[in-house]
Amino acid sequence: MTTATAPHPTVGHLLRTWRQRRRLTQLDLASSSQVSTRHLSFVETGRAKPTREMILHLSESLDVPLRQRNELLLAGGFAPAFPEHQLTDAPMSAISDAINRILDAHDPYPAVVVDRHWELVAANRAAGILMEGVAAHLLEPPANVLRLSLHPDGLAPRIVNLAAWRAHLLGRLERQVQATGDPVLATLLDELRELPGDDDGSEYHDALVVPMRCRVRGHELSMFSTTTVFGTPLDVTVSELAIETFYPTDERSAGVLRALQEGQA
């Protein structure tokens, strides 16, 4: 007895899915991409086979991630256009060096590098201090920084404003799920929502940023985060990396972070 397998989605179906995910009508996409609505309709329904250049052009107009652009090309019968290297591969030496320089230069403030699923790729020394006391099972590779932040065996018990920080992280992840349709991120979002804690960000409705107020070695630190990505990536791995850097919101927190780095706190 053979088991039927679901047919692979066509390139037209995938393009329509991305268009709908971006909340665009065919007319919207036709206008932004300078492609006729008639031809776009034919592509989506399979009546017209798009060229490699057309797939890449529509992918650019739809802001499709590089990994999924390769999937669109494969569905259209073409070879992938974007390579995917490991950070340890020789062609990635300049990228790896830049990441290490950013991490080292950011000490004594915490900084981590994450991939598209928020899995930890690298961290500086200050981030290691921040993660002291976290349960070992949360640090086993691939360690997920969102799980590590919100899990009761992670940083959650030490985050003073957990409700606001949790609301911030879950809202950010929800927007990412909506933008990418990534099933791994959707599963992660469901998991994190089940963790104990309230989702109330009203405490900072008039603030410039939502800080993370966290206790470390008996000191309360207040920090806000920024995200850095590579501006013109042509490699799948590079396009999916993000550097999360934390900065103190006040001089007291800055002083504590410096003291922690020097072993004086």
Side-chain angles (χ1 to χ4, degrees):
M1 180 178 177
T2 59
T3 302
T5 58
H8 293 292
T10 65
V11 63
H13 172 80
L14 292 174
L15 285 169
R16 181 171 63 251
T17 299
W18 279 104
R19 175 178 60 77
Q20 293 171 340
R21 184 171 291 136
R22 298 293 182 252
R23 293 182 170 83
L24 297 174
T25 65
Q26 284 187 347
L27 182 59
D28 292 332
L29 179 57
S31 176
S32 65
S33 63
Q34 299 299 302
V35 175
S36 73
T37 306
R38 175 186 173 85
H39 184 63
L40 181 59
S41 176
F42 279 12
V43 167
E44 290 190 356
T45 59
R47 295 179 64 184
K49 177 179 171 59
T51 64
R52 179 180 185 274
E53 290 70 25
M54 178 60 71
I55 294 173
L56 290 172
H57 178 61
L58 292 175
S59 297
E60 179 71 21
S61 296
L62 290 166
D63 194 25
V64 177
L66 297 192
R67 180 180 298 276
Q68 285 69 33
R69 294 188 197 192
N70 279 344
E71 293 175 358
L72 283 165
L73 287 168
L74 287 170
F78 303 101
F82 305 99
E84 181 178 2
H85 294 95
Q86 300 297 316
L87 276 175
T88 53
D89 293 345
M92 297 282 276
S93 59
I95 300 298
S96 296
D97 182 62
I99 289 173
N100 291 332
R101 287 176 180 271
I102 292 172
L103 292 178
D104 292 342
H106 199 65
D107 273 322
Y109 306 150
V112 297
V113 181
V114 296
D115 65 14
R116 74 188 192 280
H117 293 146
W118 290 90
E119 291 176 353
L120 184 65
V121 175
N124 67 357
R125 182 181 172 190
I129 294 174
L130 187 66
M131 292 184 284
E132 287 178 352
V134 168
H137 70 89
L138 292 175
L139 295 174
E140 292 176 359
N144 186 282
V145 299
L146 296 188
R147 182 182 297 115
L148 190 150
S149 296
L150 300 181
H151 198 283
D153 293 337
L155 293 177
R158 293 195 276 120
I159 297 178
V160 178
N161 60 333
L162 180 59
W165 187 247
R166 174 183 162 93
H168 162 67
L169 292 185
L170 292 183
R172 184 174 175 183
L173 181 56
E174 183 176 9
R175 290 190 294 274
Q176 194 174 356
V177 170
Q178 292 172 348
T180 65
D182 191 315
V184 175
L185 291 179
T187 299
L188 177 64
L189 179 59
D190 290 340
E191 174 195 337
L192 297 182
R193 281 173 170 163
E194 292 298 318
L195 294 177
D198 297 325
D199 306 340
D200 182 7
S202 61
E203 177 182 356
Y204 298 100
H205 70 279
D206 289 330
L208 297 177
V209 293
V210 177
M212 180 179 72
R213 294 165 49 207
C214 184
R215 289 187 294 267
V216 179
R217 296 184 186 177
H219 303 276
E220 182 179 320
L221 301 173
S222 179
M223 299 175 290
F224 65 90
S225 66
T226 68
T227 304
T228 301
V229 296
F230 289 89
T232 55
L234 292 175
D235 178 275
V236 172
T237 299
V238 176
S239 72
E240 295 174 346
L241 292 175
I243 305 173
E244 296 285 322
T245 51
F246 288 82
Y247 292 86
T249 62
D250 52 61
E251 184 52 41
R252 184 193 59 78
S253 295
V256 171
L257 285 165
R258 289 192 295 268
L260 287 170
Q261 187 78 292
E262 296 166 1
Q264 298 176 2

